[in-house]
Amino acid sequence: MPDSDPIVLLKDVRYRWPGRKSFGLNIRHLELARAETVLLLGESGSGKSTLLSLICGTVAAGQGQVLLAGTDLASLTPGQRDRFRAEQIGLIFQQFNLLPFASVLDNIALPLQFAPTRRTRVDNAAQEARRLCIALGLPDDLLTARAGTLSVGQQQRVAAARALIGTPPLIVADEPTSSLDAETQGNFLELLFAQSRAHATSLLMVSHDARLADQFDRVIQMADVAQSLRDAA
């Protein structure tokens, strides 16, 4: 895929949740460039999570195109989409979704089990996990600790390291700073941006907090790119 092509492109996409004919999204056009940092703002219930699910291929559009790294997700089987997502996207969930009884190292290295291409970029998983921990402000002696014993801020950084390992071309972060105080939030974003710049990784972060806007290359309002099918009816 040429570097000039967008990492994410949605065209004339429509989606309705099964069994909920009164709710869905209509997205005429949305794109995210390579190495671009974008903040997606929207109120609760505006469809932000649905949009992320479409980009990640966990739900399929009823019509239109969703292209990730130049590949139309509709051309892939569900199993192929899962493997493709693991290769192309590093996910940071709002609740982090760590394995609480597994070690920090095992949590960080987990994506490499499902993404062979990302794995080829990592000569030594333990060394790379240690490097990411240090870069994200975590002591490397935390690698053997169980994830469930960490503070919220530490778990957040582990989730970021898991998303960054193997340098996927896109990081998707779903309200990752919502439970943090302002100082911790600022430090986390600074570290995340630094890691993204170092590897020319695109970053799409979803939030309802407009105060974060000036830290990103571009800000997208959910209302500007997606129309509720309920409103369009």
Side-chain angles (χ1 to χ4, degrees):
M1 178 180 178
D3 289 345
S4 59
D5 290 343
I7 186 69
V8 173
L9 178 62
L10 280 73
K11 297 189 295 185
D12 297 321
V13 169
R14 280 186 165 236
Y15 176 79
R16 287 187 186 274
W17 282 103
R20 297 180 62 189
K21 293 183 178 180
S22 63
F23 180 76
L25 289 179
N26 179 12
I27 304 162
R28 294 194 181 278
H29 186 89
L30 174 65
E31 65 179 74
L32 176 64
R34 285 184 174 272
E36 184 181 26
T37 62
V38 173
L39 178 65
L40 178 65
L41 291 172
E43 298 299 325
S44 297
S46 62
K48 300 189 302 296
S49 294
T50 300
L51 176 56
L52 290 191
S53 296
L54 286 164
I55 291 172
C56 293
T58 54
V59 300
Q63 66 181 64
Q65 284 188 307
V66 180
L67 281 76
L68 176 61
T71 295
D72 189 339
L73 296 183
S75 69
L76 305 177
T77 66
Q80 289 172 331
R81 284 200 301 271
D82 290 343
R83 292 189 292 274
F84 190 69
R85 177 172 60 252
E87 292 284 13
Q88 301 294 328
I89 302 179
L91 287 164
I92 306 176
F93 300 94
Q94 184 174 0
Q95 300 302 324
F96 313 141
N97 289 12
L98 300 180
L99 302 176
F101 296 105
S103 70
V104 167
L105 172 58
D106 288 341
N107 272 278
I108 293 174
L110 184 63
L112 304 182
Q113 297 184 27
F114 307 101
T117 301
R118 285 173 69 175
R119 189 164 61 242
T120 63
R121 303 188 193 115
V122 178
D123 292 330
N124 184 299
Q127 289 180 2
E128 178 63 3
R130 183 173 290 106
R131 184 193 71 79
L132 287 167
C133 281
I134 293 172
L136 290 164
L138 286 171
D140 60 1
D141 59 6
L142 233 60
L143 285 174
T144 58
R146 289 192 305 174
T149 66
L150 306 184
S151 69
V152 170
Q154 289 172 330
Q155 289 185 47
Q156 179 198 53
R157 285 165 169 78
V158 171
R162 180 182 60 188
L164 290 164
I165 197 167
T167 59
L170 173 64
I171 301 295
V172 172
D174 187 5
E175 306 240 23
T177 62
S178 59
S179 60
L180 302 178
D181 60 66
E183 181 178 359
T184 305
Q185 180 186 86
N187 291 339
F188 172 76
L189 287 175
E190 183 178 344
L191 292 164
L192 184 58
F193 288 142
Q195 291 297 299
S196 297
R197 286 193 299 269
H199 300 287
T201 300
S202 303
L203 171 64
L204 175 61
M205 180 169 149
V206 170
S207 181
H208 62 273
D209 189 352
R211 294 173 297 179
L212 303 175
D214 61 356
Q215 301 183 57
F216 290 78
D217 295 333
R218 186 160 56 104
V219 177
I220 297 174
Q221 296 286 343
M222 188 68 188
D224 292 337
V225 298
Q227 180 185 22
S228 167
L229 293 181
R230 175 175 48 199
D231 296 338

